[in-house]
Amino acid sequence: MIQSFNSSLLENAVGELSKLPGIGRKTALRLALHLLRRDENEAVALGESIINMRRNICYCSRCHNISEQELCPICSDTRRDPAVVCVVENVKDVITVEATRQHSGLYHVLGGVISPLDGISPADLEIDSLVRRVTEENLREVILALSPTIEGDTTNFYIYRKLADLPVQVTMLARGLSIGNELEYTDELTLGKSIQNRILFSSTFHPNE
Amino acid sequence: MIQSFNSSLLENAVGELSKLPGIGRKTALRLALHLLRRDENEAVALGESIINMRRNICYCSRCHNISEQELCPICSDTRRDPAVVCVVENVKDVITVEATRQHSGLYHVLGGVISPLDGISPADLEIDSLVRRVTEENLREVILALSPTIEGDTTNFYIYRKLADLPVQVTMLARGLSIGNELEYTDELTLGKSIQNRILFSSTFHPNE
């Protein structure tokens, strides 16, 4: 039990830090005391970077990724293929997919997945704007890159239905064995899917590429 | 692997957040994206509370606890016994001891414990100022409340030797069974100490008070 800090400034900083996800009051106190021990510039740099980020980052008007301008750097990159759009749940997933260097098209950030339990309905997500993009931007392919969960699959299916009548190819990420994992420890559902979706072995095939 | 964030503002905030102890780049990104989703006021309040805390908190000139004035609220509290001083390793331990409500005297924050491996020698700690306080403030008792570790015990012994010739009683925290722990799981050293330091059982004794 942490009771009194004898300082409203410390109390205040601990209170604000402990609002962050996964940071309780004990951790918040540890972080605050760490900042007190370090150089003043370090604490000021941290505080200002948070304020600047929140004040100046906005969302790309096209794909809803974070951006510092009207269009995000990905949408304004002319070397990318604007006819292929990868649909992801959130901003973090853009970073994750980008790190694979396997997608050279654009993105569309939904802002979540359909989840009745959390009160998230299709209207809360950027689904209508995706449907509009398909027509207006004349998209060739929409890659659904949502998590392989019940909510993700529900959202995949909802979007698939919405796009069914439009002349666009809708694909989704393959489900199969995780590279590097033992077969023995793969769950049955995934193993089953990986049998259904088995790939024709060819002499030019490099398994882990 | 998190590679590019497409935003120097986000990059900057993640960089500063990941300097905090126990916070890696993945957690820092999660925190930054959380702040982006929340109200702007929340991020600004966090940033400002950190800056204000670091800029305005100083250390009590008497006990070296954190303070917003020359003397901390504990040192300036006239209801406390100024002749009994509890020696602790750091500011956090002041809060921990205060939470027990068992100490009504003042504190002396050493700023660490003697640890040759970490390059901390007695000269780096507030030991000389403690010796001065014993004489100048005419202390009756010094309670050594350092952690029961090798470094803590070394520091306890060093301070004890420094104060040996002065007319002050030096005490230290009892070592014994942790309340609520099974005897079976108590380590031998602690159990041994708790036998050596056994307490006379009296009819007025309430074990866990």
Side-chain angles (χ1 to χ4, degrees):
Chain A
M1 278 283 285
I2 300 163
Q3 301 189 322
S4 160
F5 293 164
N6 283 313
S7 161
S8 59
L9 293 167
L10 178 62
E11 180 71 51
N12 200 13
V14 169
E16 293 295 335
L17 282 166
S18 60
K19 285 182 192 164
L20 292 172
I23 296 190
R25 271 181 79 80
K26 279 210 164 180
T27 307
L29 176 61
R30 195 163 54 84
L31 297 180
L33 293 176
H34 167 86
L35 288 168
L36 279 175
R37 277 195 304 273
R38 304 304 294 257
D39 199 56
E40 182 171 320
N41 293 338
E42 200 170 308
V44 173
L46 170 63
E48 285 179 348
S49 72
I50 291 172
I51 296 173
N52 283 337
M53 173 189 74
R54 187 61 188 83
R55 283 209 175 124
N56 299 315
I57 283 187
C58 53
Y59 291 90
C60 175
S61 62
R62 190 184 198 179
C63 76
H64 312 287
N65 187 12
I66 52 165
S67 178
E68 294 169 28
Q69 265 127 23
E70 171 77 15
L71 281 185
C72 75
I74 295 177
C75 282
S76 28
D77 186 342
T78 53
R79 289 163 307 177
R80 303 187 75 119
D81 184 351
V84 180
V85 163
C86 179
V87 175
V88 291
E89 182 176 338
N90 54 41
V91 170
K92 201 166 164 179
D93 291 346
V94 172
I95 298 167
T96 309
V97 175
E98 276 297 277
T100 69
R101 298 166 183 270
Q102 295 294 320
H103 175 59
S104 61
L106 307 184
Y107 289 90
H108 192 83
V109 180
L110 290 184
V113 283
I114 299 171
S115 172
L117 283 176
D118 301 316
I120 302 174
S121 75
D124 300 318
L125 306 174
E126 294 290 348
I127 293 179
D128 288 345
S129 57
L130 173 66
V131 177
R132 248 179 285 126
R133 275 185 81 180
V134 168
T135 315
E136 285 171 12
E137 299 178 22
N138 212 358
L139 299 187
R140 191 171 71 242
E141 182 178 354
V142 166
I143 305 171
L144 299 174
L146 304 179
S147 296
T149 57
I150 293 178
E151 291 81 8
D153 280 341
T154 306
T155 314
N156 274 340
F157 191 66
Y158 184 89
I159 295 176
Y160 172 73
R161 288 277 298 270
K162 279 276 192 184
L163 300 180
D165 297 335
L166 297 173
V168 63
Q169 189 172 35
V170 180
T171 57
M172 59 179 267
L173 298 188
R175 277 94 202 265
L177 305 179
S178 290
I179 293 163
N181 270 11
E182 302 272 351
L183 195 74
E184 188 180 345
Y185 301 118
T186 304
D187 68 285
E188 300 169 19
L189 264 176
T190 303
L191 189 54
K193 278 282 174 203
S194 74
I195 295 171
Q196 284 172 27
N197 303 335
R198 60 196 179 275
I199 316 162
L200 197 63
F201 204 97
S202 83
S203 57
T204 56
F205 177 72
H206 298 287
N208 298 342
E209 218 168 59
Chain B
M1 277 280 285
I2 300 164
Q3 300 187 323
S4 158
F5 293 163
N6 282 314
S7 161
S8 59
L9 293 166
L10 178 62
E11 179 71 53
N12 198 14
V14 169
E16 293 296 335
L17 281 166
S18 60
K19 285 182 190 163
L20 292 171
I23 295 191
R25 272 181 79 79
K26 279 213 164 182
T27 308
L29 176 61
R30 196 164 53 84
L31 297 180
L33 292 176
H34 167 86
L35 288 167
L36 280 176
R37 275 196 303 274
R38 305 304 294 258
D39 200 56
E40 181 171 321
N41 293 337
E42 201 170 307
V44 173
L46 171 62
E48 285 179 348
S49 72
I50 290 172
I51 296 172
N52 283 338
M53 173 189 76
R54 186 61 189 82
R55 283 211 174 122
N56 298 313
I57 283 188
C58 53
Y59 292 90
C60 174
S61 62
R62 191 183 196 179
C63 75
H64 311 287
N65 188 10
I66 51 165
S67 177
E68 295 169 27
Q69 267 129 21
E70 170 78 15
L71 281 185
C72 75
I74 296 177
C75 282
S76 28
D77 186 344
T78 52
R79 288 162 307 176
R80 302 187 74 118
D81 184 349
V84 180
V85 163
C86 178
V87 176
V88 290
E89 182 177 337
N90 54 41
V91 170
K92 200 166 164 178
D93 291 346
V94 173
I95 298 168
T96 310
V97 175
E98 276 297 277
T100 69
R101 297 165 184 272
Q102 295 294 319
H103 175 61
S104 60
L106 306 185
Y107 289 90
H108 192 84
V109 180
L110 289 183
V113 285
I114 299 171
S115 172
L117 283 177
D118 300 315
I120 303 174
S121 76
D124 300 317
L125 305 174
E126 294 291 348
I127 293 179
D128 288 347
S129 58
L130 174 66
V131 178
R132 247 178 286 125
R133 274 185 84 179
V134 168
T135 316
E136 285 171 12
E137 298 177 22
N138 212 358
L139 299 187
R140 191 171 73 243
E141 182 178 355
V142 167
I143 305 171
L144 298 173
L146 304 179
S147 295
T149 56
I150 293 179
E151 290 82 8
D153 280 342
T154 306
T155 313
N156 274 340
F157 191 66
Y158 184 90
I159 295 175
Y160 171 74
R161 288 276 299 270
K162 279 277 192 180
L163 300 180
D165 297 336
L166 298 173
V168 63
Q169 190 173 33
V170 180
T171 57
M172 60 180 266
L173 298 189
R175 277 95 202 266
L177 305 180
S178 289
I179 293 162
N181 270 11
E182 302 273 353
L183 196 74
E184 189 181 344
Y185 302 118
T186 304
D187 68 286
E188 300 171 18
L189 263 175
T190 303
L191 189 54
K193 278 283 174 203
S194 76
I195 296 170
Q196 284 173 25
N197 304 336
R198 61 195 179 276
I199 316 161
L200 197 62
F201 203 99
S202 83
S203 57
T204 56
F205 177 71
H206 300 286
N208 299 344
E209 218 166 60

